Amino acid sequence: MTDQPVTASAGHREGLDVKVRSQFKLALGRFLRHRVAMASLVILAIIVVVAFSAEVITPYSFDGMNLRAARLAPTWEGGHLFGTDKLGRDYFTRVLYGARTSIFVALVVALLSTLIGTLIGAVAGYFGGWIDDIFMRFTDLVLILPGLALLMILIAFIGEGSPLQIAVILSSLMWTLIARVVRAQVLSMRTREFVEAATLSGASPWRVIWRHMLPNMMGPIIVNATLTVSSAILIESALSFIGFGVKPPTPALGQLISDGRGAMQTQWWLVTFPGLVIIAICLTINFIGDGLRDALDARQAQRS
Amino acid sequence: MSAIEPLLRIDNLVKHYGAPRGRKPAIRAVNDISLTLRAGETLGLVGESGCGKSTTGRCIIGLEQPTGGRIVFNGRPVEHGKRAALTAMWRDMQYVFQDPFASLNPLMTVFAILSEPLRLSGMKAAKTEARVSELMQLVGLAPEHGNRFPHEFSGGQRQRIGIARALALNPKLLILDEPVSALDVSIQAQVINLLEDLQDRLGLAYLFIAHDLSVVSHICDRIAVMYLGRIVEIGTREEIFAGPRHPYTQALLSAVPIDDPDLRGKRKRIVLQGDPPSPANPPSGCAFRTRCWKATEICSQAVPALEPKPQARQAVACHHAGTLTADPA
Amino acid sequence: MTPAKPGQPLLSVEGLITEFRSSEGTVRAVDEVSYQVWPGETLAVVGESGSGKSVTAMSVLGLIPRPPGRIAGGRILFEGRDLLTVPPAEMRAIRGKAISMIFQDPMTSLNPVLSVGFQIAEAMLAHGDMRRSEAAGRAVELLRTVGVPNAGERYHQFPHQFSGGMRQRALIAMAIANRPKLVIADEPTTALDVTIQAQVFEALRLAQAETQAAMILITHDMGLVAELADRVVVMYGGRVVETTDVRTLFHAPRHPYTKGLLASLPRLHERSERLTPIPGAPPSLVNRPTGCAFHPRCAHSAGRPMCRSEVPAMREVEPRHWSACHYAEELGQSRERIEA
């Protein structure tokens, strides 16, 4: 009564690798076929690479003033692709460094809020009862707080407004989305048979969460982390716009728009270019998120 | 543990779900169940969906917290809600789930799945490896397939993996929750034979939860029939199958299709009217009276006790089981 | 290989091939399947998961999702017309009138926001010339026919107010509402409890007595086959492996798979004897064995290269008994009868 494996069994060790990779390949394949997401990925990659190699790309520094070349409109020949501002700083350089700051802030926010949100959501969902009540009421509280106002107060108190500081403060309010997603996932997974089996095998709650639940919900977590990146960019820009974000002279995209808004009639480029970059980053990230969701969801549907 | 003390003893187990503050009526999943299971014995727990058979199993192993009653396993009361005590108990009592596709973590290799209980019990890595391949051989899988993932196995093979995991720490009792009902028919017999072999070899006791009477009739020494949260009849396999006394048991047995076309239309067949009542709102007295052809006044007034009847050794919870079996109207 | 019966078959599936595109290449779910259904008879199509039994029925109904599915060959003759060449609009008219279906999960086949009776009446109005009041009256009658108590009241209730067994009966009522010539029932009792299954059998039997429709009963439950079928088609690995009348199939099967399947079933009342399982597992669609798909699990194939190299054709091994086994003659002796 030997139960032969259904798959061809020659060289199963190699066969196994092929199989696993092909599982991953399927999701990747679906993502690669998602045209909008792929185009978005390419555009975003270009923005990121250009922003983070600003030193190599432009001969100017972001705070290098040249009053004789102030308020120049964008030209190819003049060497100022995006023009210059009222202090004669090369605006292309300013936008690149601004994008770099904004992207840095957004990535740190996504990382931190995913960590915090996952932790809180997992604990609330797994333990349930009063722990869940406390954690979720707290989450609700953070959600209903007037976010921007609270951020302004926090930033005003803490002061200097370095990009990292801004990121930490943003994260302290932005983990709620992921906390809710993770809690819902954990709740539904708590009664899954393989999770119960792990408990019966003697696994501690932490082990059950870490080893059995989290790896099986990486899809939703990644998708939501992606979406957090784009909202972080927007919120950081909004904060900078009203003067509570990253402090000058370090440029950030919202801050550039804020500085340029007074001269919108005469110097259109001061608002337009940072604005376009914000739109480009947010749109591409959202499209990538869509693509990831489709690719990963399909994998989950196939498995069940 | 003395010779007379059973391996598992359940006294008056009750499990109600939901609404303690009482807007909706509580679901009475399990209502006052008592039974015992000796070492090495197989007890079948049979009934239709919603009768509380799985809830009973889950209460016994501590996946659910009972509302009332007492469960004594291996001479010790089961301490629900106390993780350390439960973890210790789970070395001797394990569970096999119904769905072999849902009960294995899709991202773990078979080796990782089987070694988890071993490592968590403190076994060293080298010994674990030997034990895992021993377990795989025990359930009829090739040890060299340990580095494969669950999706690379067929349903029957996955159920073998689930059984191997349950056996890892040499338990005394396995609770088998519909272990073959999700499998293809040609595979069910393989798993049933495996379970019988394992019992012979390892001296295991089984609590076999099932809705399929033919499967139960094959593997069980004793059978308890449940209806709406209560045991309505309990006895040895021969007693239940040769002389069922409870009208529900009789109906259940006669409803099983027999795979012999020659018997078509010749067999007495009891077709019950209606559906089982909701466990949120059970009928007064005997829960089966709403579908029973023998029901009289008394059935709506008193819950029949589960007790031995004249000319029958099995215990039956029916006011009319003393009278001779009559055909349904 | 048409059985010698008077008249024309109602439905004749001939050499049907249904393929699906998947990430692992094109798979053949149905591989040259042929069977006939005669007017008024119940044909059971038996098989395990992946045998192609449901895909064949879906092909007959024109319900194969395209893509990824594709009917790559064969003919499906219903009353002499090839359903594969019928335009979609006309196919919709045939489906629900001349051919109707009963699925495993009645909840997905009923609209949750319309009353059950209304849906049955609607099915009649959609396909026939009838006044609404007339349709309503007939719907109540149909509910009564399939054993729904208080049919008049039940008419106005919604699907969620019906239990699983009741819903399945309502679906049977709907399936026979237009007096179809053929009813296709796909695992109609699988999701139900034993005592409810018995009720649904009765309903099926009554419905068939009422309409004289032919029925294709797709199932893996040999007990159900023994209770309801006239003839049986056994499928394995996408192909038909055996077909004959129900008594011959149970008492003298001529294919090792059928034989093994019958031997492996746990039976009620039997003493606890060791079961005799079929070794191995049913083949997956992607990795179908060469030659006879059953050969890796077959005791009769040992040392016989033909089983591995040649796909066995269906042969009439005795009158009105077809088997796709190279060595069907060896399986002549009948199975021991079960003591009741």
Side-chain angles (χ1 to χ4, degrees):
Chain A
M1 201 191 64
T2 49
D3 201 353
Q4 284 303 315
V6 207
T7 47
S9 61
H12 58 268
R13 221 168 262 266
E14 291 76 9
L16 172 75
D17 290 341
V18 171
K19 264 264 173 178
V20 172
R21 214 177 297 135
S22 80
Q23 279 266 339
F24 170 72
K25 244 189 198 158
L26 287 179
L28 187 68
R30 271 190 293 273
F31 184 73
L32 292 178
R33 276 196 301 277
H34 203 290
R35 291 211 183 113
V36 182
M38 276 317 289
S40 299
L41 190 64
V42 171
I43 296 171
L44 185 68
I46 292 172
I47 295 176
V48 171
V49 167
V50 169
F52 280 81
S53 48
E55 287 90 343
V56 191
I57 289 177
T58 83
Y60 308 100
S61 71
F62 63 84
D63 52 359
M65 291 184 276
N66 179 2
L67 290 174
R68 271 178 299 172
R71 296 193 177 91
L72 291 179
T75 50
W76 261 122
E77 311 82 46
H80 296 294
L81 205 54
F82 287 2
T84 60
D85 64 7
K86 63 177 184 253
L87 297 176
R89 294 176 290 197
D90 176 50
Y91 211 58
F92 182 63
T93 311
R94 300 275 296 159
V95 170
L96 285 192
Y97 280 93
R100 177 195 288 197
T101 312
S102 294
I103 291 170
F104 169 78
V105 170
L107 287 179
V108 173
V109 169
L111 197 72
L112 275 180
S113 53
T114 301
L115 281 177
I116 301 169
T118 303
L119 191 71
I120 288 181
V123 168
Y126 186 86
F127 292 101
W130 60 270
I131 298 180
D132 187 29
D133 283 344
I134 290 178
F135 274 53
M136 287 336 277
R137 289 304 80 78
F138 179 61
T139 308
D140 289 344
L141 186 74
V142 174
L143 261 177
I144 58 163
L145 285 174
L148 225 47
L150 193 76
L151 285 172
M152 284 157 60
I153 295 168
L154 281 174
I155 291 162
F157 266 101
I158 294 169
E160 87 213 49
S162 73
L164 187 63
Q165 228 173 37
I166 299 287
V168 171
I169 292 170
L170 280 182
S171 307
S172 72
L173 293 183
M174 288 187 66
W175 51 268
T176 52
L177 172 72
I178 292 195
R180 288 176 158 263
V181 169
V182 169
R183 174 175 172 272
Q185 289 279 324
V186 167
L187 271 181
S188 80
M189 226 172 256
R190 207 162 52 155
T191 52
R192 291 272 289 277
E193 292 183 349
F194 74 84
V195 170
E196 291 187 332
T199 305
L200 294 178
S201 294
S204 66
W206 290 116
R207 187 179 161 89
V208 170
I209 293 173
W210 182 251
R211 188 94 170 80
H212 295 273
M213 290 179 164
L214 286 182
N216 280 293
M217 52 196 200
M218 282 320 282
I221 291 180
I222 289 173
V223 169
N224 283 287
T226 317
L227 299 179
T228 303
V229 174
S230 77
S231 22
I233 293 239
L234 282 179
I235 293 176
E236 182 273 325
S237 301
L239 277 176
S240 297
F241 182 78
I242 53 179
F244 283 89
V246 177
K247 287 278 180 313
T250 310
L253 292 173
Q255 179 203 351
L256 291 177
I257 295 177
S258 170
D259 289 350
R261 75 182 194 273
M264 216 153 74
Q265 307 292 330
T266 51
Q267 292 157 263
W268 56 270
W269 57 90
L270 294 185
V271 173
T272 308
F273 288 115
L276 283 177
V277 173
I278 289 175
I279 292 170
I281 293 175
C282 289
L283 274 183
T284 51
I285 287 175
N286 277 309
F287 286 139
I288 293 168
D290 278 356
L292 280 175
R293 190 176 48 222
D294 292 351
L296 295 167
D297 269 2
R299 185 172 125 250
Q300 244 126 19
Q302 213 176 42
R303 195 187 284 147
S304 61
Chain B
M1 208 173 72
S2 66
I4 45 164
E5 180 65 15
L7 178 64
L8 175 73
R9 152 169 235 113
I10 302 168
D11 295 317
N12 310 102
L13 179 70
V14 176
K15 173 68 185 175
H16 293 179
Y17 285 104
R21 274 158 267 171
R23 244 176 307 153
K24 281 190 202 159
I27 308 280
R28 301 178 192 192
V30 177
N31 256 331
D32 193 13
I33 278 189
S34 302
L35 50 81
T36 60
L37 181 62
R38 291 187 307 275
E41 182 188 36
T42 302
L43 172 67
L45 204 52
V46 187
E48 298 180 275
S49 54
C51 73
K53 55 190 194 298
S54 287
T55 308
T56 304
R58 294 171 60 84
C59 284
I60 294 170
I61 204 161
L63 284 172
E64 302 278 352
Q65 181 115 28
T67 312
R70 214 167 92 95
I71 300 169
V72 180
F73 174 67
N74 218 3
R76 282 209 192 90
V78 176
E79 298 176 80
H80 289 89
K82 292 189 184 162
R83 224 186 69 80
L86 285 176
T87 308
M89 181 185 81
W90 289 333
R91 288 166 161 255
D92 289 323
M93 187 201 292
Q94 273 295 327
Y95 205 89
V96 174
F97 293 88
Q98 172 178 10
D99 183 354
F101 294 83
S103 64
L104 305 175
N105 187 337
L107 302 179
M108 282 168 80
T109 62
V110 173
F111 181 85
I113 289 168
L114 295 183
S115 61
E116 184 165 41
L118 301 169
R119 296 309 302 274
L120 291 173
S121 76
M123 194 181 270
K124 294 275 179 300
K127 227 179 140 199
T128 300
E129 213 160 304
R131 176 67 180 151
V132 168
S133 74
E134 189 186 354
L135 282 168
M136 290 187 74
Q137 272 166 330
L138 195 61
V139 297
L141 294 170
E144 58 269 26
H145 292 164
N147 55 3
R148 294 189 174 192
F149 287 86
H151 73 260
E152 296 176 79
F153 292 89
S154 66
Q157 291 172 317
R158 289 193 223 198
Q159 198 54 297
R160 287 165 194 263
I161 298 167
I163 293 168
R165 172 177 57 197
L167 292 176
L169 298 177
N170 278 317
K172 296 189 170 75
L173 169 64
L174 284 195
I175 298 177
L176 305 156
D177 190 353
E178 302 258 15
V180 299
S181 63
L183 304 176
D184 268 322
V185 267
S186 75
I187 304 300
Q188 294 191 356
Q190 295 177 0
V191 173
I192 293 171
N193 279 356
L194 172 69
L195 287 170
E196 284 180 336
D197 290 344
L198 291 170
Q199 185 165 44
D200 289 347
R201 238 198 279 182
L202 307 171
L204 297 161
Y206 290 153
L207 181 67
F208 195 102
I209 298 167
H211 71 277
D212 186 335
L213 286 161
S214 354
V215 169
V216 164
S217 75
H218 250 275
I219 196 168
C220 295
D221 304 313
R222 286 193 304 135
I223 290 163
V225 181
M226 284 185 73
Y227 188 79
L228 215 69
R230 292 179 194 275
I231 294 177
V232 297
E233 183 160 6
I234 182 166
T236 63
R237 180 181 58 222
E238 289 76 16
E239 285 162 1
I240 298 287
F241 285 106
R245 281 304 191 92
H246 196 284
Y248 178 64
T249 315
Q250 294 169 354
L252 206 56
L253 282 170
S254 88
V256 176
I258 301 278
D259 57 344
D260 186 346
D262 289 350
L263 292 178
R264 191 188 292 180
K266 291 184 187 146
R267 206 155 54 101
K268 247 188 350 215
R269 189 123 200 227
I270 306 167
V271 177
L272 288 179
Q273 297 308 306
D275 299 296
S278 153
N281 186 19
S284 65
C286 173
F288 186 58
R289 71 178 167 83
T290 52
R291 301 170 79 194
C292 183
W293 62 94
K294 286 182 170 180
T296 56
E297 195 62 30
I298 187 171
C299 300
S300 63
Q301 288 158 358
V303 177
L306 182 65
E307 58 196 12
K309 298 290 172 185
Q311 293 137 36
R313 269 179 302 164
Q314 74 259 42
V316 186
C318 176
H319 294 300
H320 301 294
T323 64
L324 279 175
T325 314
D327 288 340
Chain C
M1 41 172 272
T2 310
K5 278 211 183 178
Q8 280 295 307
L10 178 68
L11 176 80
S12 179
V13 178
E14 295 175 2
L16 181 73
I17 299 173
T18 306
E19 295 179 335
F20 288 91
R21 257 207 332 263
S22 80
S23 51
E24 294 169 75
T26 302
V27 295
R28 257 191 196 188
V30 174
D31 194 1
E32 292 184 39
V33 163
S34 302
Y35 60 67
Q36 283 79 35
V37 186
W38 301 87
E41 77 165 346
T42 298
L43 176 77
V45 179
V46 181
E48 298 176 275
S49 56
S51 64
K53 60 186 192 299
S54 292
V55 180
T56 309
M58 287 302 178
S59 308
V60 170
L61 290 164
L63 292 178
I64 295 293
R66 246 176 295 193
R70 184 174 83 95
I71 291 178
R75 295 197 300 170
I76 299 171
L77 299 176
F78 180 70
E79 297 186 305
R81 277 184 84 189
D82 188 354
L83 295 183
L84 295 178
T85 60
V86 167
E90 210 172 319
M91 190 63 212
R92 270 195 299 278
I94 293 175
R95 207 163 50 214
K97 183 154 173 63
I99 305 179
S100 64
M101 52 252 170
I102 302 165
F103 292 113
Q104 177 176 346
D105 180 5
M107 204 55 198
T108 56
S109 319
L110 289 168
N111 185 334
V113 299
L114 297 175
S115 84
V116 170
F118 180 83
Q119 294 183 57
I120 298 173
E122 199 63 10
M124 285 183 272
L125 292 169
H127 288 284
D129 192 19
M130 199 184 256
R131 269 178 305 157
R132 183 162 286 280
S133 58
E134 212 178 319
R138 174 137 166 78
V140 173
E141 210 175 290
L142 283 166
L143 283 172
R144 203 170 288 139
T145 305
V146 295
V148 173
N150 307 326
E153 267 168 60
R154 287 290 197 168
Y155 178 92
H156 299 285
Q157 291 187 344
F158 293 90
H160 72 266
Q161 292 168 295
F162 276 53
S163 66
M166 278 305 170
R167 277 198 288 264
Q168 198 58 286
R169 274 184 267 183
L171 218 63
I172 294 171
M174 200 186 298
I176 60 168
N178 290 312
R179 302 201 154 270
K181 299 207 172 92
L182 176 65
V183 176
I184 299 182
D186 191 353
E187 303 270 9
T189 61
T190 303
L192 303 171
D193 277 320
V194 194
T195 61
I196 308 299
Q197 279 184 7
Q199 298 172 353
V200 173
F201 286 174
E202 286 307 309
L204 278 174
R205 214 172 291 181
L206 291 169
Q208 212 183 2
E210 162 93 11
T211 57
Q212 301 295 318
M215 182 160 69
I216 299 180
L217 179 69
I218 299 162
T219 184
H220 66 271
D221 184 343
M222 293 307 270
L224 187 57
V225 173
E227 299 261 356
L228 287 177
D230 299 316
R231 285 193 310 122
V232 188
V233 165
V234 182
M235 288 188 69
Y236 187 83
R239 302 180 73 96
V240 175
V241 295
E242 182 164 13
T243 173
T244 184
D245 68 278
V246 66
R247 296 196 50 200
T248 313
L249 187 94
F250 276 86
H251 296 314
R254 286 296 193 97
H255 194 282
Y257 172 65
T258 317
K259 219 178 153 182
L261 193 62
L262 288 168
S264 72
L265 297 177
R267 286 193 177 76
L268 209 55
H269 293 293
E270 223 169 321
R271 303 297 236 134
S272 175
E273 277 166 13
R274 204 169 162 76
L275 295 168
T276 38
I278 307 177
S284 72
L285 288 177
V286 255
N287 272 313
R288 210 165 270 161
T290 57
C292 171
F294 188 62
H295 85 256
R297 305 174 73 190
C298 182
H300 298 267
S301 76
R304 287 171 160 168
M306 195 175 14
C307 296
R308 219 159 309 144
S309 60
E310 265 176 62
V311 179
M314 284 288 272
R315 301 181 289 133
E316 190 164 9
V317 291
E318 59 188 356
R320 298 203 193 175
H321 190 166
W322 289 260
S323 167
C325 175
H326 294 306
Y327 301 97
E329 281 72 18
E330 287 176 15
L331 305 165
Q333 71 277 33
S334 57
R335 185 168 71 99
E336 286 154 62
R337 299 284 284 274
I338 325 148
E339 302 305 319

